[in-house]
Amino acid sequence: MQTLTSRPATGLQGTLTVPGDKSISHRGLMLGAISMGQTTLTNFLPADDCLSTLTALQQLGIDINRDDTTVTIQGRGLHGLTASAQPLDMGNAGTATRLMAGLLAGQTFDSTLVGDASLSQRPMARVQQPLATMGAEIDLTDGHLPMHIHGRSLMAADHYPLQVASAQVKSALILAAIQAPTASTIIEKLPTRDHTERLLNAFGGDVQTAADGRTITIQPQPKLQGQAVTVPGDMSSAAFFMTAASIVPGSNIRLTQVGLNPTRTGLLNVLQRMGGDVTVTSAKSVGEPLGTVTVKAASLNPIDLGAEDIPAVIDELPLVALLAATADGVSHITGAEELRFKETDRIATIVTELQKLGVAITEQPDGFTIDGRGDWQLQTPVFDSHGDHRIGMMMAVAALRLTETTTLADEAAINISYPRFFTDLQHLLPTEVRNA
Ligand code: S3P
């Protein structure tokens, strides 16, 4: 049980550099493994999810060394992975599982993927079915893990239309497509984060997105070469402090080296649309764009988000709910049914936890409606991550608005993406409230 910091008199102040991006850390490891020669990842995220990927790749015969946030991978090429004697334990990591499914489907050996209780309830047919159209043979257990992958020669995907707006599914198909004999084309439902495409091209692959933003063509059998990659700060981690600074009076913070890939900056747009006080300065970068984000406290207006808005803010929707809970009016979030398939059913867990603050939030099948006009009336001072890192951190941010002392159960879930979260939060608090 973690005691949460209540309202700091001066708000949040200071400058912070958040840890490396989770999505890019996973992909950097995988692409390093299937390239020839050495890859170095700097500012790698040493959180539980990414460490699951790292260990799985070691089990597949890849020599990987990690010194804190620097990782060195001795890549063995597209056909250099070897069978693991043991099942690959993907822990809590949905991204790692789905991307690995695509990567392992085209190998010459079989693999078995298992995960923790939460991951074992998440849908895997969303990768099994599209990969099957490329000739992959993947056995699931009632649509879930354990997953047994029979390594097979794959066929190209021929204008395959993705059924869900999911970067994980898209990336699984891309990682399968590079193993096919001819070029593949896949069509996204809506544009989603494009880290796989960018990184594959940086390693020497050829993945092109058409002007429609949704049609992706993947050239087969690329000769990938190891690279030196600096992982930008994770926008999804910065988002917790952007939200905290917006809703805690008196705040003024700077977040440096934050990844600003346009497929990930939905929360910046949301804050701007809500009347938040946000300034973005782009920095020089190679590959993924990055920059500095300055956020000051502001009075917020309500917002309406629909399906088209969701992919760029998918992991920040708990924070959008929290922002809306302080806004002067009613916000409507719709088209977000994908939230039900995250580490928890996030529509349910967001509603449960925000109701503990007395927030007027109503669950909808595909989102929620929030009236931010009433004062919060704390109903219960014990919050719960429900084993979901982003729900735990959202409630730690919410606590910063309260004058009462509150606690968080199952706080260890935060290690999934942000082991340093409470230390970084303390860094932005005035000395007298640190280590509260
Ligand atoms: C991710 C894609 C998103 C996101 C997840 C990371 C990725 O999931 O929610 O945290 O790295 O590709 P979906 O693709 O299932 O939407």
Side-chain angles (χ1 to χ4, degrees):
M1 198 73 99
Q2 168 92 30
T3 302
L4 299 175
T5 305
S6 54
R7 182 179 290 205
T10 61
L12 286 82
Q13 303 288 337
T15 300
L16 180 72
T17 306
V18 295
D21 187 275
K22 179 155 87 74
S23 293
I24 299 173
S25 293
H26 281 304
R27 288 159 171 82
L29 288 169
M30 291 184 201
L31 293 189
I34 59 168
S35 296
M36 291 308 292
Q38 181 167 303
T39 285
T40 314
L41 305 177
T42 309
N43 200 35
F44 170 80
L45 174 67
D48 287 358
D49 258 15
C50 302
L51 296 178
S52 296
T53 300
L54 191 154
T55 308
L57 290 167
Q58 285 175 328
Q59 280 183 254
L60 292 163
I62 304 298
D63 179 6
I64 308 180
N65 277 299
R66 182 174 71 86
D67 179 6
D68 190 21
T69 59
T70 303
V71 175
T72 314
I73 306 156
Q74 307 305 331
R76 292 167 51 103
L78 198 46
H79 308 288
L81 301 176
T82 52
S84 167
Q86 303 297 327
L88 304 171
D89 185 353
M90 309 315 294
N92 192 252
T95 303
T97 307
R98 282 141 181 168
L99 270 60
M100 279 290 191
L103 186 58
L104 294 173
Q107 300 292 323
T108 52
F109 53 84
D110 289 11
S111 307
T112 300
L113 271 56
V114 297
D116 71 8
S118 151
L119 186 60
S120 301
Q121 288 181 3
R122 296 179 66 184
M124 294 298 157
R126 56 177 53 202
V127 285
Q128 178 206 37
Q129 283 166 2
L131 287 170
T133 69
M134 300 173 71
E137 200 185 326
I138 297 178
D139 303 332
L140 297 176
T141 314
D142 200 17
H144 303 104
L145 295 184
M147 176 190 291
H148 187 76
I149 303 168
H150 304 266
R152 288 273 179 280
S153 299
L154 300 177
M155 299 174 290
D158 182 10
H159 291 83
Y160 183 83
L162 290 165
Q163 302 302 307
V164 274
S166 163
Q168 295 181 358
V169 178
K170 169 180 68 175
S171 299
L173 294 189
I174 293 174
L175 292 173
I178 57 174
Q179 301 172 70
T182 54
S184 290
T185 306
I186 59 177
I187 302 162
E188 286 206 83
K189 193 172 170 193
L190 288 170
T192 61
R193 65 188 68 190
D194 63 356
H195 304 303
T196 306
E197 297 90 309
R198 285 175 185 254
L199 217 49
L200 251 178
N201 286 335
F203 277 75
D206 184 353
V207 184
Q208 303 300 334
T209 305
D212 65 4
R214 301 193 304 129
T215 307
I216 302 166
T217 304
I218 305 115
Q219 297 303 326
Q221 305 293 334
K223 301 263 171 296
L224 303 177
Q225 268 302 327
Q227 299 293 319
V229 176
T230 300
V231 180
D234 198 324
M235 169 54 80
S236 298
S237 298
F240 293 100
F241 304 113
M242 288 163 49
T243 303
S246 297
I247 67 171
V248 180
S251 298
N252 181 359
I253 62 165
R254 269 176 81 231
L255 302 164
T256 60
Q257 316 271 341
V258 182
L260 294 175
N261 181 316
T263 61
R264 294 285 301 282
T265 49
L267 191 73
L268 282 174
N269 302 336
V270 165
L271 268 174
Q272 276 153 357
R273 281 169 62 189
M274 294 179 85
D277 189 340
V278 188
T279 316
V280 180
T281 324
S282 297
K284 271 214 179 106
S285 56
V286 188
E288 293 274 351
L290 48 92
T292 297
V293 180
T294 305
V295 187
K296 297 181 188 158
S299 305
L300 300 176
N301 305 314
I303 193 163
D304 286 350
L305 296 184
E308 305 259 316
D309 301 308
I310 299 302
V313 74
I314 183 73
D315 289 341
E316 289 68 65
L317 287 171
L319 296 171
V320 173
L322 184 55
L323 290 165
T326 71
D328 185 21
V330 182
S331 297
H332 305 271
I333 313 302
T334 57
E337 58 276 358
E338 272 297 300
L339 277 184
R340 298 214 180 263
F341 308 111
K342 296 298 174 189
E343 285 80 338
T344 54
D345 172 346
R346 281 193 184 148
I347 296 181
T349 47
I350 288 169
V351 170
T352 301
E353 290 306 303
L354 290 186
Q355 283 179 343
K356 292 181 181 173
L357 303 171
V359 170
I361 177 167
T362 315
E363 180 168 348
Q364 309 291 348
D366 62 344
F368 30 78
T369 304
I370 301 175
D371 186 344
R373 283 172 299 194
D375 282 337
W376 293 5
Q377 297 287 343
L378 187 64
Q379 309 292 310
T380 153
V382 183
F383 305 144
D384 193 343
S385 75
H386 301 264
D388 185 335
H389 53 129
R390 299 200 196 281
I391 299 297
M393 289 186 276
M394 169 192 73
M395 291 313 288
V397 171
L400 295 167
R401 285 269 294 193
L402 300 169
T403 47
E404 298 93 336
T405 298
T406 52
T407 54
L408 177 68
D410 206 353
E411 72 278 11
I414 290 173
N415 293 333
I416 292 298
S417 68
Y418 202 164
R420 228 174 66 193
F421 172 73
F422 285 109
T423 311
D424 282 358
L425 175 58
Q426 293 290 329
H427 178 77
L428 295 175
L429 296 174
T431 332
E432 62 272 22
V433 297
R434 282 192 194 168
N435 304 316

